[in-house]
Amino acid sequence: MTNLLEIRDLHKRYGTVEVLKGVDCSMRQGEVISIIGSSGSGKTTMLRCINMLEEFQGGTISIDGQEIGYETVGGVRRRKPEREIARQRALTGMAFQQFNLFPHMTAAGNVMLGLVKVKKMSRDEARGLAEKWLDRVGLLSRKDHYPGQLSGGQQQRVAIARAIAMNPKLMLFDEVTSALDPELVNEVLQVIKGLAEDGMSMLIVTHEMRFAYEVSSRVIFMNQGRIGEEGDPREMFLKPKTERLAEFLKTSTFN
Amino acid sequence: MTYSLNFAAVWRSFDLLLQGLALSLGLALVAILAGCVIGLITAFGLVSKSVVLRKPAGLYVTIIRNTPILVLVLFSYFALPELGVRLGKIESFVVTLAIYSGAYLAEVFRGGLIAIPPGQREAGLAIGLSEMQIRTSIIIPLMLRNVLPSLGSTMISLFKDTSLAAAIAVPELTFEARKINVETFRVIETWIVASCLYVATCSLLAALMRAVERRLAVPR
């Protein structure tokens, strides 16, 4: 059986600065993988390559066996047509550090947009699904509120509902609690935990070590553009094999 | 000071002024609508990553914004026919004002576009929207909200610029006022009444734009 996600020898440069120096990673259906590491280690960049928000110059990323973003025709690697890339992006859902809700649309409107424009659902059908997912993140009563009328934690939960409603095969979480006040972090983490329990496949870039420890089936430690260490969260947090990870864990708070 | 005010002569020709005002409004409406389309396309050119789009858009804005509108009006009406482009007075003026509006509105729209955080586009991409869907559903609606205050004042400026059509004898408000002035010699009264008509119309426009602003405001 093919892996859900297969990353091989991923290389990414910004100009002359190489930020990903050959990353390999495979992930099975239903896995929850947390990606940890200090800032600048390449963890967010790796996540953003998976849905082509970043271009990458070398290596391949495949989801369910289909190569993402690039194809090689006659030995020449080239970007796939934009329409194809847009379709592939919908294989994944993403939640962002800054939520990025559309401020001129209500919570329900935010969730409905992709359903109507990408999935071509009728507005009624889309509204039904939007309400179902807003209910799931505990915000059905806020469906007609605009992002500006919601707290940070509520906005992030709407953003997660917006991504999940598109029925992605893989959810990407990019430091989703980093912009939140401490007392709002938990409500967002609870939503993610619930999705993990439902068997959603997730890649989670996070600084919440306790959360990574509790929710993940596997942890990846990124270090200077490479995978420094990976494995079972219990083993990694309690008995780090590399000096680097031990150092990193010492400087992070585990609460 | 021997001049005594007498508005009677101006009131007798008041309907001419109103006809002039109606034409002024018509000229402005058509030119600004066309200018909005030109401006929107140009603004996306100005913020484009592609040099092939950015350079021509920049050149257009530079040339048009740095030429006085009166010069453009005279050029279109007197010089273009020599080059084989023959338009009527009104057509010539509307086209000129549209091209002129386009350059100003492009800059207004560009300001509104660069104020939108890149995360908005990324969120659109992440749910599988195409660039065009992102533009129509997210970028343009947000841009319009950003620019409404300055859009209002640009529109008022452009409306007042219709007075320059008098230079090529388009019978709009200023042209009619001058005619009445010459015929009646009531110079002060004529120009006071004409000015009042401009002020009233512009105030109405401003109030209208405020209402649109309130209507489209994002609740918070």
Side-chain angles (χ1 to χ4, degrees), chain B residues 6-23:
Chain B
N6 177 1
F7 282 92
V10 180
W11 295 138
R12 271 196 297 279
S13 313
F14 192 63
D15 56 335
L16 272 181
L17 288 177
L18 286 183
Q19 279 169 27
L21 177 63
L23 182 58

Side-chain angles (χ1 to χ4, degrees), chain A residues 48 51 53 86 89-90 92 94 96 100-105 113-114 117-118 120 146 148-149 162 166, chain B residues 118-131 133 136-139 141-142 145 218-220:
Chain A
R48 289 165 57 88
N51 66 355
L53 287 185
R89 281 196 182 105
T92 60
M94 185 177 235
F96 300 84
N100 297 347
L101 287 181
F102 309 128
H104 59 304
M105 295 179 191
L113 183 67
K117 300 279 175 185
V118 179
K120 309 290 178 199
Y146 286 83
Q149 301 169 313
R162 174 176 71 181
M166 297 296 288
Chain B
Q120 290 293 312
R121 174 173 164 268
E122 289 180 356
L125 289 176
I127 54 174
L129 294 178
S130 69
E131 293 282 0
Q133 287 173 324
T136 55
S137 300
I138 304 164
I139 303 296
L142 292 179
R145 286 168 172 83
V218 173
R220 52 176 58 250

